[in-house]
Amino acid sequence: MPMLRCAAVWCVAWSVLALAGAAPARGGHADGEVLLGAVVLRVVDGDSLWVRPSGGAPLRLRVSGVDAPEICQRHGREARDALATRLQGHKVRVTLQHKDTYDRWLARVDGPDGDVGAWLVGQGHAWSMRWQNNPGPYAVQESAARKARRGLFSESRPELPRDFRRRNGPCQAGGASHTGQPG
């Protein structure tokens, strides 16, 4: 009987742990959750923003699949201003993916005209996020922006944000892309 009791306790413990692992992430949101009608409160830089989901607290987001120039990098302010002009105060659809190292949600953001990541890259405000030999989800848009010499691709050799950060470190307070509260 003690062996059976131990097995029952063990099963309950594993069940609790499994349920805890399946629980929503910090802040009450879960990977894959779709937030309809979230309002863009503030655009921090070319790929980071704050939104307020309907009836919820503000969330920090990073647009998934893109890498925009750092705010203190060449074309950084232009990228931020373009995104702010397009989305500030507007309702968007947000599909949460997962949290990054700065505790922001990586998310697909759809604005009034569709996929914001595709628009950013297509207008030359960001690169398609690369990894290993993969050109990223917006390689077609990046190729078109390069050919048309739009935005940052009007330069002969625009510097990737990761290379800029490697050389200069992150932007300092007041311009850092991953800090700041919604306005």
Side-chain angles (χ1 to χ4, degrees):
M1 197 60 132
M3 185 87 139
L4 189 56
R5 186 174 297 150
C6 184
V9 168
W10 187 249
C11 285
V12 168
W14 272 110
S15 297
V16 168
L17 288 174
L19 288 173
R26 291 168 297 200
H29 296 286
D31 294 359
E33 184 176 352
V34 176
L35 308 173
L36 300 173
V39 176
V40 176
L41 300 175
R42 178 170 175 248
V43 173
V44 178
D45 65 15
D47 56 19
S48 303
L49 54 138
W50 283 88
V51 300
R52 181 182 305 278
S54 181
L59 290 176
R60 283 192 305 177
L61 303 180
R62 183 171 190 286
V63 179
S64 180
V66 304
D67 199 7
E70 295 295 313
I71 197 72
C72 60
Q73 182 180 354
R74 198 171 182 157
H75 199 78
R77 293 188 190 282
E78 291 88 345
R80 178 203 55 204
D81 293 348
L83 186 59
T85 297
R86 188 156 184 92
L87 294 183
Q88 189 90 29
H90 291 279
K91 288 185 178 182
V92 294
R93 177 183 182 201
V94 175
T95 305
L96 301 175
Q97 294 173 350
H98 58 86
K99 293 264 188 136
D100 70 5
T101 56
Y102 299 108
D103 203 36
R104 296 173 297 191
W105 278 100
L106 284 174
R108 176 181 164 132
V109 179
D110 289 290
D113 299 321
D115 185 350
V116 171
W119 178 82
L120 282 167
V121 176
Q123 294 301 307
H125 297 304
W127 285 263
S128 180
M129 184 66 82
R130 299 160 169 68
W131 57 92
Q132 298 174 349
N133 292 326
N134 187 322
Y138 303 115
V140 170
Q141 290 86 348
E142 183 176 320
S143 178
R146 283 179 184 277
K147 285 179 186 162
R149 301 186 59 74
R150 282 190 215 112
L152 60 91
F153 300 116
S154 65
E155 296 178 21
S156 60
R157 294 179 51 121
E159 185 174 23
L160 288 166
R162 68 172 176 247
D163 296 338
F164 179 86
R165 287 187 297 268
R166 197 175 301 129
R167 270 189 331 97
N168 301 293
C171 295
Q172 297 304 312
S177 63
H178 52 269
T179 61
Q181 296 294 319

